[in-house]
Amino acid sequence: MSDILDQLDAALADRRHADPETSYVASLHHKGLNKILEKVGEEAVETVLAAKDADASDPASHQALVAETADLWFHSLVMLSHLGLDHRQVLEELAKRFGVSGHEEKASRSKR
């Protein structure tokens, strides 16, 4: 599945400099970082609300949460791309944390 992240990365790089009139990704880059961050924040709120509404007996509510999470991830990838970063750096950071207590990892951040 990480292959989809590579595909998205390539598509984001390709569309970054496309015509903002025809490419949603290009229009976000054209509007700048603040607009991209606004979209990340909007999608984060929508994801939280979908999670709050998720009901174990309602598959549609689970699908809504998955869809909102996909939107959040997508816009986060656009943000990383705009800043010259990509998903690989996030995955590397997660790999470093794997097997480390969350409490230990959080405490180590103040030492960096």
Side-chain angles (χ1 to χ4, degrees):
M1 272 306 217
S2 67
D3 197 33
I4 189 66
L5 292 175
D6 291 330
Q7 292 173 28
L8 274 169
D9 184 58
L12 290 175
D14 184 52
R15 294 178 187 158
R16 180 175 184 163
H17 301 291
D19 181 356
E21 295 294 321
T22 59
S23 168
Y24 176 68
V25 171
S27 73
L28 287 173
H29 285 292
H30 181 74
K31 292 173 185 173
L33 181 60
N34 284 344
K35 181 61 177 179
I36 295 168
L37 297 177
E38 180 182 308
K39 287 300 296 180
V40 171
E42 175 187 317
E43 298 302 342
V45 169
E46 290 175 2
T47 301
V48 168
L49 293 174
K52 186 177 181 306
D53 293 341
D55 181 337
S57 64
D58 180 18
S61 69
H62 287 180
Q63 181 52 43
L65 175 57
V66 168
E68 291 300 344
T69 302
D71 289 345
L72 175 59
W73 288 12
F74 175 81
H75 287 89
S76 295
L77 291 170
V78 172
M79 173 192 66
L80 291 171
S81 171
H82 191 81
L83 295 169
L85 303 167
D86 67 36
H87 68 279
R88 289 173 199 84
Q89 290 151 297
V90 176
L91 293 176
E92 288 169 9
E93 180 64 25
L94 288 171
K96 285 192 272 184
R97 296 179 185 188
F98 192 76
V100 176
S101 157
H103 295 297
E104 290 175 26
E105 191 282 324
K106 188 171 182 180
S108 75
R109 286 188 225 167
S110 61
K111 297 174 186 173
R112 292 183 202 172

